[in-house]
Amino acid sequence: MNIHEHQAKQLLKKFGAIVPNGEACFTVQEVLEKAKKLNLKKYVLKAQIHAGGRGKAGGVKILDNLVDLEKAAKDLLGKKLVTHQTGPNGKEVKRLYLEEPSNIKKEFYLSCLIDRASSKIAFISSDQGGMDIEEVAKKDPSKISTIKINFSDDIKDEDCKKIVQNFNLDDDANLKCINIIKSIYKTFISTDASLIEINPLILTKENNIVCLDAKISFDDNAIFKHPELLELRDLNEEDPTEIEASKHDLAYIKLDGTIGCMVNGAGLAMATMDIIKLHGQEPANFLDVGGGASKEKVSAAFKIILSDKNVKGILINIFGGIMRCDVLAQGIVEAAKETKIDIPLVVRLAGTNSEEGKKILDESGLKIISASDLGDAAKKIVKQVK
Ligand code: GDP
Ligand code: MN
């Protein structure tokens, strides 16, 4: 789960990090009221969407007075902001963040994430932070350093020193930076985050260290431990079909192709997508129905796949381990009747009770095309949608 910049900053502040003062706003009027209260010489107005690259797309503005601020707020609210992270359709701006401006002397990059390969927490830092960090990563990776640390409740001073080394700060700023790193680490551990990214972390002309931008992603598998974080979820930022899928405990990711996939197991789902591509077509989705798919679950999965108007055919690929193929076949038949499927349906069943399953499909009276193996299934569905 991702949250907005303003929420991430409030959370980091709670754990002791330094962030600029600011207020989230949902209307132009609210922006003006809050600006009058803040009473500043200049204002920073930032579009709040779950995507980076806003600066380059015109989603971050510095305004000299209330007249310009009002204009900028009117312009941004309701706008579809297209950044290099949103995809071509962009994301509609529904909230803004009004902030006091900072005097930037230098921009750094700092992030903290789980390094699965080493089972450690990795801090990534660079003195070339800001809006071109992707370019730096590509062209001059030596400017980016990674420090891996062992899981524990606190981060050691010696690790903090290694992380800030390439920032080349004076003693005063160095200490401030180490304190921020400790706050970030505490936030990371306490909230079961999977990523905290501060880009830029800045050195101000007043020699302070401030988190000027913040992105936090949480581990969905641990979110049940943090009901207060769940309240920060913004459903506007999520795909409606993915929200529906999560209600039924289905792992569904919408993609751009024409072949809908219903598979049990993430690995098998990946393999199914690969083999569709191998045969020259594109999958419309990733969908893992999980180990114990009931009729209700299969039915919900059908409805979700069919709500995608690009879908021209569905490939069901099930390996019956704990799940019995005959039970699943019964679920497919009932769900297919209920949802009145009128596009080609290719089914490949293997494993426990697969023969019984095939028999149920064959005798169902539905136009279901049976496949003997994964390659055969891919060939058949590709032929059908062509
Ligand atoms: P992103 O482009 O979506 O990552 O948005 P950021 O929050 O990182 O802002 C983009 C850029 O705007 C930063 O790298 C800064 O250079 C600039 N910026 C943001 N806030 C301020 C500010 O208070 N003062 C100044 N001078 N620049 C700012
Ligand atoms: Mn940024």
Side-chain angles (χ1 to χ4, degrees), residues 218-267:
F218 302 107
D219 181 349
D220 289 338
N221 294 314
I223 205 85
F224 73 93
K225 291 197 260 174
H226 309 283
E228 76 290 354
L229 295 178
L230 211 47
E231 276 168 32
L232 303 177
R233 187 172 177 193
D234 181 358
L235 294 177
N236 282 318
E237 295 288 330
E238 297 176 27
D239 186 291
T241 47
E242 289 178 19
I243 296 169
E244 182 64 21
S246 72
K247 279 187 206 155
H248 299 280
D249 203 20
L250 296 162
Y252 171 88
I253 312 284
K254 190 183 153 10
L255 300 166
D256 301 325
T258 54
I259 298 179
C261 304
M262 192 190 309
V263 190
N264 67 328

Side-chain angles (χ1 to χ4, degrees), residues 104-142:
I104 303 175
K105 191 167 171 192
K106 184 112 190 47
E107 299 194 9
F108 304 113
Y109 176 90
L110 180 69
S111 66
C112 175
L113 51 100
I114 289 174
D115 183 59
R116 290 170 194 277
S118 62
S119 306
K120 288 177 194 275
I121 295 178
F123 269 91
I124 298 172
S125 63
S126 171
D127 65 343
Q128 308 285 307
M131 295 192 280
D132 290 317
I133 190 69
E134 284 91 352
E135 282 299 300
V136 177
K138 245 187 263 163
K139 292 195 179 133
D140 200 356
S142 69

Side-chain angles (χ1 to χ4, degrees), residues 259 279 281 344 346 377-386:
I259 298 179
H279 286 85
Q281 285 289 320
V346 172
K379 260 184 231 149
K380 282 179 172 158
I381 191 68
V382 166
K383 195 175 151 212
Q384 287 294 321
V385 302
K386 264 195 178 154

